[in-house]
Structures are given as structure tokens and as C-alpha cells.
Amino acid sequence: MERYLDKVYRELRSRFGEAVQKDVSLSRYTSFGVGGPASIFVTPSSESHLLFLVKFFTREQIPFFVLGRGTNILVSDSGFDGAVISLGEDFKEISFEANLVWASSSVPLQHLVEQTSMRSLTGFEALTGIPGSVGGALKMNAGAWGFSISQFVRRIVGLRKNGESISITPKESDWTYRGFVHNDIIFTKALFELQPGKADEIKTAIAEYSARRHKSQPVGERSAGCVFKNPEPDMPAAKIIDQLGLKGERIGEAYVSSKHANFIVAHPGATARDIYLLMRKIQKIVRDKTGIYLEPEIILLGEFEE
Ligand SMILES: Cc1cc2nc3c(=O)[nH]c(=O)nc-3n(C[C@H](O)[C@H](O)[C@H](O)COP(=O)(O)OP(=O)(O)OC[C@H]3O[C@@H](n4cnc5c(N)ncnc54)[C@H](O)[C@@H]3O)c2cc1C
């Protein structure tokens, strides 16, 4: 019998052409480089396409996932039996008005940092080296060295999963440490307010943050950044894991980084299951030895078995 999602694929394909693909391996869309296929993979090129798809998937009760640059997710080896939405070209715009900047969701965060620094706007320097997209950074409230992207957001524009368009000024309480509380919002763009700064100071700060990152993190290896949230602001998960001697711990080809204990790095041949089981092992050891529960920061997509 034909799978329901195959029927859905044919229907969407006839409407959107090659923007709709089926059984697409997600490993090449994630920084871990692991994971199985998405049943449907669609790249809407405009807001009207996105609106159609979101309403369609919601009405048909098809699970869907909005993918950014895949730098904070772990996709299961069996993939995702649903639809992955990857925002396309129309979501890559940046525009400036004095010290205000609109950036669409598919803009790489690093491009935004470069563009704002080129205009001598200060604020984003600490976000240097975070490899995600603007959309993913908003959803995760990405940040580093005491700064987070939410500090600079003045407006977010997007859709709710029921298709309702939104354009709101978020409140401080809408953001959490590494998160945004409204799970049903898909960001299409955001307005940021930065401050006029001095070009040489911005350049120096960017170089310093970049050097700090290269010194303390396994930059260039396959990872998804910090695996666990810090249990408390003054209690880094990395320190807890390191103090328990877990650097270098491995399952299969997944290793706890020897450079940063809260990073898991995937060596060639690693599977999502290796990474998942290593996460579980770290959680268990930390809980047994300290009583602390380490909550994952990375998003798990698909089914994982113990
Ligand atoms: C080497 C390395 C270093 C890192 N360093 C840091 C760091 O210092 N600080 C930090 O905070 N993070 C860090 N990260 C993690 C990651 O880069 C950030 O969380 C980033 O913001 C995720 O963006 P993304 O586009 O890759 O999102 P994805 O990984 O694709 O998705 C993450 C989540 O965002 C959601 N999402 C994506 N786009 C949208 C959208 N348009 N609307 C609604 N939801 C959306 C997804 O559904 C998912 O739930 C690091 C990762 C790596 C690999």
C-alpha cells in the first residue's frame, strides 16, 4: 500500500516542483553529519509558500520541523517520518536603517555579524563563531560570553503553526536561557537594534572572541556545540563533566571532546545512536555522582532507543 506521506509528496511536488524532495538524508544538513532521511524535505522560496505548507501540514496532521543550518540538532539514524522545512532564498535578506537591521531567518548568523561590523555597529561581536542561522539563533536564544541574541531583538515576524501571521515586540519573559517560550512560532525575520561603535574596537573584539573560541572549543570538528545546558549560570555543564574525568569518554565513534567537555564530537563512522548513548551515559554518571540533571541543549529529531 502506498504510504500516506508518499501521496502527500506527490501532491506537494505537483504544486511546488523541485522545491519538494522525498527521503532526503539529513546528515548533510547537520553539523554532526549523522542522521537518516526526512520523508519530505521542502524548501519554500517565499512567505506565501511557507504559509501554504504550514497550514497544509497542520491541517493534515503531518509532523513538521523547521530546519536552520542544523548546528544544534541530532537527527536519529532512522530519520524523521514527517516533513522538514528548510527556508530558501527569499529568507536571506538583510537591510539597514541607521542602527536598526532587519535580517531574515536563513541569513547565516556569521554573515550578520560581518555585515553589522562592516557598518561599525556594535553588539553582535560575542556571537562571532556561532555557526547557525538567524532563525535558529532566535529559537535557541543563541549566545556566548554573557551575551545573547535576544538582547538586541526589537521585533520578530513570522507565523504560528496554525498559519496566523505575527509581528510582535517580544518581552524579556518570552526568552529563556537558550530558548524562546512560544514553541508554535516560525520566525521569518527579525529587527535588531545595535549601537554605533568604533570600527577598530569592533574588529579587535571580534578577533578576541574568535581566538577564545578556537582556544576552548573543538572548532572544525563535527559537533553541535554545547550538548547540555548549564544547570545554573555559575555552574557550567562543561566543568561538571570535566571534573568527573569524562573528557575522551566514547561510545562507538562519538567522543567527549578533549578540548571542551560539553562538546561531543563525531568521528568518521559515528552514528546518531553513538552520540545519543554517550549523552545518556554522561547524564547518568553526572546524576549518580552529583545528583545534578543535565538537560540537553541540542534538539533531538526522530526516534531514539535506549
Ligand atoms: C562549533 C559550534 C559552536 C557553537 N557555539 C554556540 C555558542 O557559542 N552559543 C550558542 O548559543 N550556540 C552555539 N552553537 C549551537 C548553534 O550554532 C546555535 O544554537 C544556533 O543558533 C542554531 O542555529 P541553526 O540555524 O543551526 O538551528 P538548527 O540547529 O537548524 O535548529 C535549532 C532549533 O531551531 C529551530 N529553528 C530553526 N530555524 C527556525 C525558524 N526560522 N523558526 C523557528 N524555529 C527555527 C529548529 O526547529 C530547532 O528547534 C554552536 C554549534 C557548533 C556546531
Side-chain angles (χ1 to χ4, degrees):
M1 202 178 77
E2 188 185 26
R3 281 193 324 156
Y4 176 59
L5 283 178
D6 287 336
K7 204 169 141 234
V8 168
Y9 163 74
R10 279 195 292 106
E11 193 176 328
L12 291 176
R13 176 89 180 185
S14 67
R15 192 176 181 111
F16 295 113
E18 293 199 348
V20 184
Q21 305 282 327
K22 71 171 179 173
D23 298 330
V24 172
S25 170
L26 294 175
S27 60
R28 62 196 171 98
Y29 291 96
T30 68
S31 53
F32 264 138
V34 300
S39 305
I40 295 175
F41 189 95
V42 52
T43 311
S45 59
S46 68
E47 290 193 18
S48 61
H49 285 183
L50 175 65
L51 177 63
F52 175 91
L53 289 163
V54 167
K55 281 185 170 169
F56 178 87
F57 292 139
T58 301
R59 189 184 65 233
E60 298 295 317
Q61 298 186 345
I62 295 166
F64 67 94
F65 181 84
V66 181
L67 180 69
R69 290 170 69 82
T71 64
N72 212 203
I73 62 172
L74 175 62
V75 180
S76 129
D77 296 313
S78 56
F80 177 56
D81 200 19
V84 165
I85 298 177
S86 170
L87 301 181
E89 284 306 313
D90 270 17
F91 301 93
K92 281 195 174 152
E93 286 175 4
I94 302 187
S95 62
F96 289 87
E97 205 177 293
N99 58 326
L100 297 174
V101 49
W102 280 105
S104 303
S105 284
S106 289
V107 171
L109 195 57
Q110 285 324 288
H111 185 57
L112 182 60
V113 172
E114 280 162 26
Q115 290 294 312
T116 52
S117 71
M118 273 166 57
R119 287 166 174 80
S120 298
L121 292 174
T122 181
F124 282 159
E125 295 88 320
L127 306 183
T128 298
I130 301 179
S133 63
V134 166
L138 291 168
K139 174 67 188 172
M140 301 308 299
N141 192 11
W145 322 115
F147 291 86
S148 54
I149 195 163
S150 57
Q151 289 171 248
F152 308 99
V153 178
R154 295 297 169 261
R155 181 155 286 269
I156 50 175
V157 176
L159 298 177
R160 289 190 194 279
K161 289 194 172 168
N162 63 8
E164 181 198 340
S165 295
I166 57 137
S167 173
I168 54 172
T169 300
K171 300 185 291 292
E172 212 179 311
S173 57
D174 290 330
W175 307 95
T176 59
Y177 159 60
R178 299 291 170 267
F180 183 71
V181 293
H182 308 288
N183 278 330
D184 66 332
I185 289 182
I186 298 160
F187 304 99
T188 54
K189 62 180 177 180
L191 177 68
F192 301 96
E193 183 178 1
L194 302 175
Q195 295 305 319
K198 292 197 174 122
D200 53 340
E201 287 176 12
I202 293 170
K203 213 172 145 194
T204 304
I206 286 179
E208 281 172 8
Y209 283 122
S210 179
R212 271 166 89 172
R213 195 172 275 276
H214 278 80
K215 201 171 165 204
S216 61
Q217 296 179 4
V219 176
E221 292 192 68
R222 283 162 42 193
S223 80
C226 286
V227 175
F228 300 107
K229 294 181 182 177
N230 295 330
E232 301 288 341
D234 57 352
M235 194 193 278
K239 195 170 172 192
I240 300 170
I241 299 168
D242 193 7
Q243 282 176 346
L244 292 172
L246 295 176
K247 274 184 174 168
E249 192 74 26
R250 69 181 274 203
I251 288 192
E253 290 305 323
Y255 290 75
V256 176
S257 165
S258 51
K259 214 165 177 186
H260 191 304
N262 198 14
F263 276 56
I264 289 179
V265 291
H267 287 195
T271 62
R273 186 170 162 76
D274 292 341
I275 296 167
Y276 177 74
L277 291 180
L278 186 55
M279 287 172 66
R280 301 292 288 152
K281 184 173 182 181
I282 296 166
Q283 281 178 314
K284 182 168 184 334
I285 294 173
V286 169
R287 176 160 259 183
D288 288 351
K289 299 243 165 102
T290 67
I292 295 168
Y293 169 67
L294 288 182
E295 184 190 343
E297 176 177 323
I298 61 174
I299 308 291
L300 302 184
L301 182 62
E303 304 281 323
F304 289 86
E305 282 168 26
E306 294 299 317

PDB file of all heavy atoms in Angstrom, residues 72 135-143 148-151 170-183 187 229 295-297 299:
ATOM      1  N   ASN A  72      22.476  22.685  15.785  1.00  0.00           N
ATOM      2  CA  ASN A  72      22.124  22.442  17.189  1.00  0.00           C
ATOM      3  C   ASN A  72      21.172  21.265  17.310  1.00  0.00           C
ATOM      4  O   ASN A  72      20.403  21.190  18.260  1.00  0.00           O
ATOM      5  CB  ASN A  72      21.498  23.702  17.805  1.00  0.00           C
ATOM      6  CG  ASN A  72      21.801  23.863  19.275  1.00  0.00           C
ATOM      7  OD1 ASN A  72      21.097  24.529  20.008  1.00  0.00           O
ATOM      8  ND2 ASN A  72      22.863  23.224  19.744  1.00  0.00           N
ATOM      9  N   GLY A 135      17.284  32.414  12.140  1.00  0.00           N
ATOM     10  CA  GLY A 135      16.085  31.738  12.672  1.00  0.00           C
ATOM     11  C   GLY A 135      16.424  30.789  13.808  1.00  0.00           C
ATOM     12  O   GLY A 135      15.772  30.781  14.856  1.00  0.00           O
ATOM     13  N   GLY A 136      17.474  29.985  13.595  1.00  0.00           N
ATOM     14  CA  GLY A 136      17.890  29.033  14.636  1.00  0.00           C
ATOM     15  C   GLY A 136      18.403  29.758  15.868  1.00  0.00           C
ATOM     16  O   GLY A 136      18.162  29.338  17.007  1.00  0.00           O
ATOM     17  N   ALA A 137      19.092  30.874  15.639  1.00  0.00           N
ATOM     18  CA  ALA A 137      19.631  31.636  16.774  1.00  0.00           C
ATOM     19  C   ALA A 137      18.499  32.255  17.595  1.00  0.00           C
ATOM     20  O   ALA A 137      18.574  32.329  18.825  1.00  0.00           O
ATOM     21  CB  ALA A 137      20.579  32.720  16.269  1.00  0.00           C
ATOM     22  N   LEU A 138      17.430  32.686  16.913  1.00  0.00           N
ATOM     23  CA  LEU A 138      16.288  33.248  17.646  1.00  0.00           C
ATOM     24  C   LEU A 138      15.621  32.149  18.470  1.00  0.00           C
ATOM     25  O   LEU A 138      15.332  32.320  19.653  1.00  0.00           O
ATOM     26  CB  LEU A 138      15.276  33.854  16.669  1.00  0.00           C
ATOM     27  CG  LEU A 138      15.729  35.127  15.948  1.00  0.00           C
ATOM     28  CD1 LEU A 138      14.773  35.456  14.804  1.00  0.00           C
ATOM     29  CD2 LEU A 138      15.819  36.305  16.915  1.00  0.00           C
ATOM     30  N   LYS A 139      15.397  31.005  17.820  1.00  0.00           N
ATOM     31  CA  LYS A 139      14.708  29.907  18.508  1.00  0.00           C
ATOM     32  C   LYS A 139      15.505  29.427  19.724  1.00  0.00           C
ATOM     33  O   LYS A 139      14.949  29.081  20.765  1.00  0.00           O
ATOM     34  CB  LYS A 139      14.500  28.755  17.516  1.00  0.00           C
ATOM     35  CG  LYS A 139      13.943  27.499  18.098  1.00  0.00           C
ATOM     36  CD  LYS A 139      12.523  27.694  18.560  1.00  0.00           C
ATOM     37  CE  LYS A 139      12.043  26.468  19.317  1.00  0.00           C
ATOM     38  NZ  LYS A 139      10.749  26.687  19.929  1.00  0.00           N
ATOM     39  N   MET A 140      16.845  29.398  19.575  1.00  0.00           N
ATOM     40  CA  MET A 140      17.688  28.878  20.653  1.00  0.00           C
ATOM     41  C   MET A 140      18.165  29.989  21.594  1.00  0.00           C
ATOM     42  O   MET A 140      18.890  29.730  22.534  1.00  0.00           O
ATOM     43  CB  MET A 140      18.925  28.165  20.071  1.00  0.00           C
ATOM     44  CG  MET A 140      18.635  26.992  19.148  1.00  0.00           C
ATOM     45  SD  MET A 140      17.512  25.766  19.854  1.00  0.00           S
ATOM     46  CE  MET A 140      18.419  25.235  21.295  1.00  0.00           C
ATOM     47  N   ASN A 141      17.796  31.234  21.289  1.00  0.00           N
ATOM     48  CA  ASN A 141      18.353  32.378  22.014  1.00  0.00           C
ATOM     49  C   ASN A 141      19.871  32.195  22.155  1.00  0.00           C
ATOM     50  O   ASN A 141      20.430  32.192  23.257  1.00  0.00           O
ATOM     51  CB  ASN A 141      17.689  32.570  23.381  1.00  0.00           C
ATOM     52  CG  ASN A 141      18.052  33.919  24.003  1.00  0.00           C
ATOM     53  OD1 ASN A 141      18.630  34.789  23.334  1.00  0.00           O
ATOM     54  ND2 ASN A 141      17.720  34.094  25.270  1.00  0.00           N
ATOM     55  N   ALA A 142      20.487  32.045  20.993  1.00  0.00           N
ATOM     56  CA  ALA A 142      21.925  31.747  20.953  1.00  0.00           C
ATOM     57  C   ALA A 142      22.722  32.866  21.611  1.00  0.00           C
ATOM     58  O   ALA A 142      22.334  34.043  21.571  1.00  0.00           O
ATOM     59  CB  ALA A 142      22.368  31.581  19.501  1.00  0.00           C
ATOM     60  N   GLY A 143      23.821  32.489  22.191  1.00  0.00           N
ATOM     61  CA  GLY A 143      24.661  33.492  22.831  1.00  0.00           C
ATOM     62  C   GLY A 143      25.974  32.910  23.283  1.00  0.00           C
ATOM     63  O   GLY A 143      26.212  31.707  23.184  1.00  0.00           O
ATOM     64  N   SER A 148      23.432  37.374  24.646  1.00  0.00           N
ATOM     65  CA  SER A 148      22.555  36.502  23.866  1.00  0.00           C
ATOM     66  C   SER A 148      21.809  37.349  22.848  1.00  0.00           C
ATOM     67  O   SER A 148      21.635  38.565  23.028  1.00  0.00           O
ATOM     68  CB  SER A 148      21.587  35.749  24.776  1.00  0.00           C
ATOM     69  OG  SER A 148      20.901  36.663  25.566  1.00  0.00           O
ATOM     70  N   ILE A 149      21.384  36.701  21.789  1.00  0.00           N
ATOM     71  CA  ILE A 149      20.810  37.445  20.660  1.00  0.00           C
ATOM     72  C   ILE A 149      19.553  38.216  21.064  1.00  0.00           C
ATOM     73  O   ILE A 149      19.267  39.286  20.536  1.00  0.00           O
ATOM     74  CB  ILE A 149      20.552  36.494  19.463  1.00  0.00           C
ATOM     75  CG1 ILE A 149      20.326  37.309  18.194  1.00  0.00           C
ATOM     76  CG2 ILE A 149      19.401  35.531  19.722  1.00  0.00           C
ATOM     77  CD1 ILE A 149      20.465  36.528  16.915  1.00  0.00           C
ATOM     78  N   SER A 150      18.807  37.667  22.049  1.00  0.00           N
ATOM     79  CA  SER A 150      17.540  38.302  22.435  1.00  0.00           C
ATOM     80  C   SER A 150      17.732  39.734  22.939  1.00  0.00           C
ATOM     81  O   SER A 150      16.824  40.555  22.850  1.00  0.00           O
ATOM     82  CB  SER A 150      16.841  37.468  23.508  1.00  0.00           C
ATOM     83  OG  SER A 150      17.678  37.310  24.624  1.00  0.00           O
ATOM     84  N   GLN A 151      18.926  40.043  23.454  1.00  0.00           N
ATOM     85  CA  GLN A 151      19.182  41.398  23.959  1.00  0.00           C
ATOM     86  C   GLN A 151      18.996  42.461  22.880  1.00  0.00           C
ATOM     87  O   GLN A 151      18.787  43.626  23.187  1.00  0.00           O
ATOM     88  CB  GLN A 151      20.637  41.508  24.437  1.00  0.00           C
ATOM     89  CG  GLN A 151      20.960  40.770  25.694  1.00  0.00           C
ATOM     90  CD  GLN A 151      22.466  40.777  25.926  1.00  0.00           C
ATOM     91  OE1 GLN A 151      23.103  39.742  25.842  1.00  0.00           O
ATOM     92  NE2 GLN A 151      23.037  41.941  26.183  1.00  0.00           N
ATOM     93  N   PRO A 170       8.893  41.231  21.176  1.00  0.00           N
ATOM     94  CA  PRO A 170       8.936  40.241  22.254  1.00  0.00           C
ATOM     95  C   PRO A 170       9.275  40.873  23.602  1.00  0.00           C
ATOM     96  O   PRO A 170       9.980  41.879  23.664  1.00  0.00           O
ATOM     97  CB  PRO A 170      10.028  39.265  21.813  1.00  0.00           C
ATOM     98  CG  PRO A 170      10.815  39.967  20.785  1.00  0.00           C
ATOM     99  CD  PRO A 170       9.989  41.065  20.214  1.00  0.00           C
ATOM    100  N   LYS A 171       8.744  40.268  24.649  1.00  0.00           N
ATOM    101  CA  LYS A 171       9.045  40.726  26.013  1.00  0.00           C
ATOM    102  C   LYS A 171      10.256  39.939  26.516  1.00  0.00           C
ATOM    103  O   LYS A 171      10.558  38.859  25.996  1.00  0.00           O
ATOM    104  CB  LYS A 171       7.857  40.439  26.944  1.00  0.00           C
ATOM    105  CG  LYS A 171       6.572  41.131  26.523  1.00  0.00           C
ATOM    106  CD  LYS A 171       5.475  40.899  27.545  1.00  0.00           C
ATOM    107  CE  LYS A 171       4.958  39.478  27.606  1.00  0.00           C
ATOM    108  NZ  LYS A 171       4.219  38.989  26.465  1.00  0.00           N
ATOM    109  N   GLU A 172      10.866  40.457  27.560  1.00  0.00           N
ATOM    110  CA  GLU A 172      12.025  39.755  28.124  1.00  0.00           C
ATOM    111  C   GLU A 172      11.633  38.338  28.549  1.00  0.00           C
ATOM    112  O   GLU A 172      12.395  37.387  28.389  1.00  0.00           O
ATOM    113  CB  GLU A 172      12.541  40.546  29.319  1.00  0.00           C
ATOM    114  CG  GLU A 172      14.038  40.424  29.495  1.00  0.00           C
ATOM    115  CD  GLU A 172      14.515  41.234  30.680  1.00  0.00           C
ATOM    116  OE1 GLU A 172      14.140  42.422  30.774  1.00  0.00           O
ATOM    117  OE2 GLU A 172      15.260  40.653  31.503  1.00  0.00           O
ATOM    118  N   SER A 173      10.377  38.221  29.055  1.00  0.00           N
ATOM    119  CA  SER A 173       9.933  36.920  29.566  1.00  0.00           C
ATOM    120  C   SER A 173       9.648  35.909  28.453  1.00  0.00           C
ATOM    121  O   SER A 173       9.364  34.746  28.726  1.00  0.00           O
ATOM    122  CB  SER A 173       8.683  37.106  30.426  1.00  0.00           C
ATOM    123  OG  SER A 173       7.676  37.735  29.654  1.00  0.00           O
ATOM    124  N   ASP A 174       9.680  36.359  27.190  1.00  0.00           N
ATOM    125  CA  ASP A 174       9.484  35.417  26.078  1.00  0.00           C
ATOM    126  C   ASP A 174      10.743  34.573  25.844  1.00  0.00           C
ATOM    127  O   ASP A 174      10.703  33.576  25.137  1.00  0.00           O
ATOM    128  CB  ASP A 174       9.159  36.172  24.778  1.00  0.00           C
ATOM    129  CG  ASP A 174       7.771  36.801  24.816  1.00  0.00           C
ATOM    130  OD1 ASP A 174       6.899  36.239  25.499  1.00  0.00           O
ATOM    131  OD2 ASP A 174       7.572  37.853  24.183  1.00  0.00           O
ATOM    132  N   TRP A 175      11.858  35.024  26.415  1.00  0.00           N
ATOM    133  CA  TRP A 175      13.125  34.333  26.174  1.00  0.00           C
ATOM    134  C   TRP A 175      13.556  33.607  27.430  1.00  0.00           C
ATOM    135  O   TRP A 175      13.318  34.065  28.542  1.00  0.00           O
ATOM    136  CB  TRP A 175      14.231  35.337  25.798  1.00  0.00           C
ATOM    137  CG  TRP A 175      13.863  36.237  24.677  1.00  0.00           C
ATOM    138  CD1 TRP A 175      13.341  37.496  24.773  1.00  0.00           C
ATOM    139  CD2 TRP A 175      13.964  35.965  23.272  1.00  0.00           C
ATOM    140  NE1 TRP A 175      13.123  38.019  23.522  1.00  0.00           N
ATOM    141  CE2 TRP A 175      13.500  37.101  22.580  1.00  0.00           C
ATOM    142  CE3 TRP A 175      14.414  34.868  22.535  1.00  0.00           C
ATOM    143  CZ2 TRP A 175      13.459  37.174  21.193  1.00  0.00           C
ATOM    144  CZ3 TRP A 175      14.382  34.942  21.156  1.00  0.00           C
ATOM    145  CH2 TRP A 175      13.910  36.083  20.494  1.00  0.00           C
ATOM    146  N   THR A 176      14.216  32.484  27.226  1.00  0.00           N
ATOM    147  CA  THR A 176      14.838  31.795  28.353  1.00  0.00           C
ATOM    148  C   THR A 176      16.305  31.614  27.993  1.00  0.00           C
ATOM    149  O   THR A 176      16.718  31.941  26.880  1.00  0.00           O
ATOM    150  CB  THR A 176      14.220  30.400  28.560  1.00  0.00           C
ATOM    151  OG1 THR A 176      14.410  29.645  27.357  1.00  0.00           O
ATOM    152  CG2 THR A 176      12.741  30.483  28.878  1.00  0.00           C
ATOM    153  N   TYR A 177      17.046  31.069  28.939  1.00  0.00           N
ATOM    154  CA  TYR A 177      18.430  30.700  28.631  1.00  0.00           C
ATOM    155  C   TYR A 177      18.368  29.603  27.562  1.00  0.00           C
ATOM    156  O   TYR A 177      17.806  28.548  27.788  1.00  0.00           O
ATOM    157  CB  TYR A 177      19.095  30.218  29.930  1.00  0.00           C
ATOM    158  CG  TYR A 177      20.310  29.342  29.753  1.00  0.00           C
ATOM    159  CD1 TYR A 177      21.436  29.803  29.080  1.00  0.00           C
ATOM    160  CD2 TYR A 177      20.332  28.060  30.276  1.00  0.00           C
ATOM    161  CE1 TYR A 177      22.543  28.992  28.928  1.00  0.00           C
ATOM    162  CE2 TYR A 177      21.442  27.245  30.139  1.00  0.00           C
ATOM    163  CZ  TYR A 177      22.531  27.718  29.451  1.00  0.00           C
ATOM    164  OH  TYR A 177      23.624  26.911  29.293  1.00  0.00           O
ATOM    165  N   ARG A 178      18.856  29.908  26.390  1.00  0.00           N
ATOM    166  CA  ARG A 178      18.851  29.017  25.224  1.00  0.00           C
ATOM    167  C   ARG A 178      17.450  28.575  24.805  1.00  0.00           C
ATOM    168  O   ARG A 178      17.201  27.394  24.540  1.00  0.00           O
ATOM    169  CB  ARG A 178      19.733  27.781  25.457  1.00  0.00           C
ATOM    170  CG  ARG A 178      21.184  28.092  25.703  1.00  0.00           C
ATOM    171  CD  ARG A 178      21.893  28.641  24.465  1.00  0.00           C
ATOM    172  NE  ARG A 178      23.204  29.146  24.829  1.00  0.00           N
ATOM    173  CZ  ARG A 178      23.433  30.427  25.153  1.00  0.00           C
ATOM    174  NH1 ARG A 178      22.480  31.327  25.115  1.00  0.00           N
ATOM    175  NH2 ARG A 178      24.635  30.822  25.489  1.00  0.00           N
ATOM    176  N   GLY A 179      16.538  29.544  24.740  1.00  0.00           N
ATOM    177  CA  GLY A 179      15.223  29.176  24.225  1.00  0.00           C
ATOM    178  C   GLY A 179      14.284  30.357  24.061  1.00  0.00           C
ATOM    179  O   GLY A 179      14.551  31.471  24.528  1.00  0.00           O
ATOM    180  N   PHE A 180      13.202  30.088  23.355  1.00  0.00           N
ATOM    181  CA  PHE A 180      12.120  31.048  23.152  1.00  0.00           C
ATOM    182  C   PHE A 180      10.861  30.302  23.572  1.00  0.00           C
ATOM    183  O   PHE A 180      10.660  29.150  23.157  1.00  0.00           O
ATOM    184  CB  PHE A 180      12.056  31.443  21.665  1.00  0.00           C
ATOM    185  CG  PHE A 180      11.018  32.472  21.352  1.00  0.00           C
ATOM    186  CD1 PHE A 180      11.175  33.789  21.769  1.00  0.00           C
ATOM    187  CD2 PHE A 180       9.876  32.134  20.640  1.00  0.00           C
ATOM    188  CE1 PHE A 180      10.212  34.747  21.477  1.00  0.00           C
ATOM    189  CE2 PHE A 180       8.914  33.089  20.342  1.00  0.00           C
ATOM    190  CZ  PHE A 180       9.082  34.397  20.765  1.00  0.00           C
ATOM    191  N   VAL A 181      10.041  30.914  24.426  1.00  0.00           N
ATOM    192  CA  VAL A 181       8.999  30.119  25.089  1.00  0.00           C
ATOM    193  C   VAL A 181       7.852  29.688  24.171  1.00  0.00           C
ATOM    194  O   VAL A 181       7.200  28.688  24.437  1.00  0.00           O
ATOM    195  CB  VAL A 181       8.416  30.835  26.337  1.00  0.00           C
ATOM    196  CG1 VAL A 181       9.448  30.948  27.426  1.00  0.00           C
ATOM    197  CG2 VAL A 181       7.848  32.187  25.990  1.00  0.00           C
ATOM    198  N   HIS A 182       7.623  30.431  23.076  1.00  0.00           N
ATOM    199  CA  HIS A 182       6.462  30.107  22.238  1.00  0.00           C
ATOM    200  C   HIS A 182       6.869  29.106  21.154  1.00  0.00           C
ATOM    201  O   HIS A 182       7.421  29.478  20.120  1.00  0.00           O
ATOM    202  CB  HIS A 182       5.882  31.382  21.619  1.00  0.00           C
ATOM    203  CG  HIS A 182       5.617  32.434  22.653  1.00  0.00           C
ATOM    204  ND1 HIS A 182       4.587  32.326  23.558  1.00  0.00           N
ATOM    205  CD2 HIS A 182       6.264  33.579  22.958  1.00  0.00           C
ATOM    206  CE1 HIS A 182       4.606  33.374  24.367  1.00  0.00           C
ATOM    207  NE2 HIS A 182       5.614  34.143  24.027  1.00  0.00           N
ATOM    208  N   ASN A 183       6.558  27.846  21.416  1.00  0.00           N
ATOM    209  CA  ASN A 183       7.042  26.785  20.530  1.00  0.00           C
ATOM    210  C   ASN A 183       6.359  26.750  19.180  1.00  0.00           C
ATOM    211  O   ASN A 183       6.829  26.072  18.272  1.00  0.00           O
ATOM    212  CB  ASN A 183       6.849  25.420  21.210  1.00  0.00           C
ATOM    213  CG  ASN A 183       7.975  25.156  22.169  1.00  0.00           C
ATOM    214  OD1 ASN A 183       9.095  25.622  21.951  1.00  0.00           O
ATOM    215  ND2 ASN A 183       7.684  24.444  23.247  1.00  0.00           N
ATOM    216  N   PHE A 187       9.945  31.741  12.812  1.00  0.00           N
ATOM    217  CA  PHE A 187      10.453  33.088  12.533  1.00  0.00           C
ATOM    218  C   PHE A 187      10.757  33.219  11.041  1.00  0.00           C
ATOM    219  O   PHE A 187      11.376  32.321  10.459  1.00  0.00           O
ATOM    220  CB  PHE A 187      11.769  33.336  13.285  1.00  0.00           C
ATOM    221  CG  PHE A 187      11.672  33.138  14.775  1.00  0.00           C
ATOM    222  CD1 PHE A 187      12.093  31.951  15.357  1.00  0.00           C
ATOM    223  CD2 PHE A 187      11.166  34.136  15.595  1.00  0.00           C
ATOM    224  CE1 PHE A 187      12.018  31.759  16.731  1.00  0.00           C
ATOM    225  CE2 PHE A 187      11.088  33.952  16.972  1.00  0.00           C
ATOM    226  CZ  PHE A 187      11.511  32.762  17.536  1.00  0.00           C
ATOM    227  N   LYS A 229      22.627  22.099  28.691  1.00  0.00           N
ATOM    228  CA  LYS A 229      22.520  23.452  29.244  1.00  0.00           C
ATOM    229  C   LYS A 229      23.291  23.500  30.559  1.00  0.00           C
ATOM    230  O   LYS A 229      23.406  22.471  31.252  1.00  0.00           O
ATOM    231  CB  LYS A 229      21.055  23.785  29.535  1.00  0.00           C
ATOM    232  CG  LYS A 229      20.204  23.880  28.286  1.00  0.00           C
ATOM    233  CD  LYS A 229      18.778  24.239  28.651  1.00  0.00           C
ATOM    234  CE  LYS A 229      17.911  24.289  27.414  1.00  0.00           C
ATOM    235  NZ  LYS A 229      16.505  24.557  27.696  1.00  0.00           N
ATOM    236  N   GLU A 295      20.249  18.861  31.459  1.00  0.00           N
ATOM    237  CA  GLU A 295      19.203  18.934  30.434  1.00  0.00           C
ATOM    238  C   GLU A 295      19.849  19.166  29.069  1.00  0.00           C
ATOM    239  O   GLU A 295      20.691  20.071  28.939  1.00  0.00           O
ATOM    240  CB  GLU A 295      18.259  20.100  30.757  1.00  0.00           C
ATOM    241  CG  GLU A 295      17.089  20.209  29.811  1.00  0.00           C
ATOM    242  CD  GLU A 295      16.311  21.508  30.002  1.00  0.00           C
ATOM    243  OE1 GLU A 295      16.468  22.171  31.049  1.00  0.00           O
ATOM    244  OE2 GLU A 295      15.566  21.859  29.089  1.00  0.00           O
ATOM    245  N   PRO A 296      19.477  18.363  28.059  1.00  0.00           N
ATOM    246  CA  PRO A 296      20.084  18.592  26.741  1.00  0.00           C
ATOM    247  C   PRO A 296      19.789  19.996  26.217  1.00  0.00           C
ATOM    248  O   PRO A 296      18.682  20.506  26.396  1.00  0.00           O
ATOM    249  CB  PRO A 296      19.414  17.543  25.845  1.00  0.00           C
ATOM    250  CG  PRO A 296      18.964  16.479  26.778  1.00  0.00           C
ATOM    251  CD  PRO A 296      18.598  17.190  28.060  1.00  0.00           C
ATOM    252  N   GLU A 297      20.798  20.595  25.600  1.00  0.00           N
ATOM    253  CA  GLU A 297      20.576  21.862  24.897  1.00  0.00           C
ATOM    254  C   GLU A 297      20.239  21.543  23.439  1.00  0.00           C
ATOM    255  O   GLU A 297      19.421  22.209  22.822  1.00  0.00           O
ATOM    256  CB  GLU A 297      21.843  22.730  24.966  1.00  0.00           C
ATOM    257  CG  GLU A 297      21.711  24.024  24.177  1.00  0.00           C
ATOM    258  CD  GLU A 297      22.934  24.927  24.285  1.00  0.00           C
ATOM    259  OE1 GLU A 297      23.541  25.001  25.381  1.00  0.00           O
ATOM    260  OE2 GLU A 297      23.282  25.553  23.275  1.00  0.00           O
ATOM    261  N   ILE A 299      18.667  19.777  20.164  1.00  0.00           N
ATOM    262  CA  ILE A 299      17.313  19.303  19.869  1.00  0.00           C
ATOM    263  C   ILE A 299      17.420  17.929  19.211  1.00  0.00           C
ATOM    264  O   ILE A 299      18.188  17.747  18.262  1.00  0.00           O
ATOM    265  CB  ILE A 299      16.618  20.273  18.872  1.00  0.00           C
ATOM    266  CG1 ILE A 299      16.706  21.727  19.366  1.00  0.00           C
ATOM    267  CG2 ILE A 299      15.195  19.850  18.576  1.00  0.00           C
ATOM    268  CD1 ILE A 299      15.898  22.055  20.572  1.00  0.00           C
TER     269      ILE A 299
END
